[in-house]
Amino acid sequence: MTTPTPPEVADVLDRAADHIDRVGWTQGDWCEAAPGLSPEESPVDADSALAVAVGAAPFTPGSGLTPAQAVAYHAAMNALHRHIRGGLITWNDTPGRTKDEVTAVMRAAAAYQRKQVAS
């Protein structure tokens, strides 16, 4: 397993934002169980969106990541932590936070990762 490059981290962040745009976003839980929908089709928080973006299922108790998925997940998580200057779950669950704000920050963090290569 190698450390993901900044463009690879950016791709994970963009896929996470795209996933939220596709299925919806939630607060207070990793995944909002929607009647008739699988976890992969149900609204997720930012943390679970990152899991999906690396090829895993949304987080649930007992779920996990493969070693390769974990490396990519943690690289993207660290990029977001630096961008929001704090913990992702607390930031995601802050009252008043919006889906658009979450996806915008993910895309901004992705753009920053790509800019690091261009500099």
Side-chain angles (χ1 to χ4, degrees):
M1 282 172 283
T2 60
T3 301
T5 64
E8 291 169 334
V9 172
D11 289 346
V12 170
L13 293 164
D14 282 336
R15 286 194 304 269
D18 291 345
H19 184 72
I20 289 172
D21 282 341
R22 189 170 43 262
V23 302
W25 171 75
T26 192
Q27 289 181 296
D29 206 349
W30 286 315
C31 182
E32 185 179 301
L37 295 179
S38 70
E40 291 78 9
E41 300 168 319
S42 298
V44 294
D45 72 349
D47 196 32
S48 275
L50 290 176
V52 171
V54 300
F59 287 129
T60 58
S63 68
L65 303 169
T66 67
Q69 290 169 338
V71 169
Y73 166 85
H74 287 291
M77 173 72 77
N78 289 336
L80 272 178
H81 281 185
R82 286 189 302 273
H83 203 77
I84 62 174
R85 299 172 199 232
L88 182 59
I89 294 172
T90 301
W91 180 83
N92 181 90
D93 292 348
T94 299
R97 181 85 55 223
T98 67
K99 171 184 153 283
D100 289 341
E101 188 176 4
V102 171
T103 57
V105 165
M106 287 178 164
R107 289 190 174 101
Y112 181 80
Q113 290 295 306
R114 289 188 180 95
K115 182 178 174 186
Q116 298 311 300
V117 175
S119 300

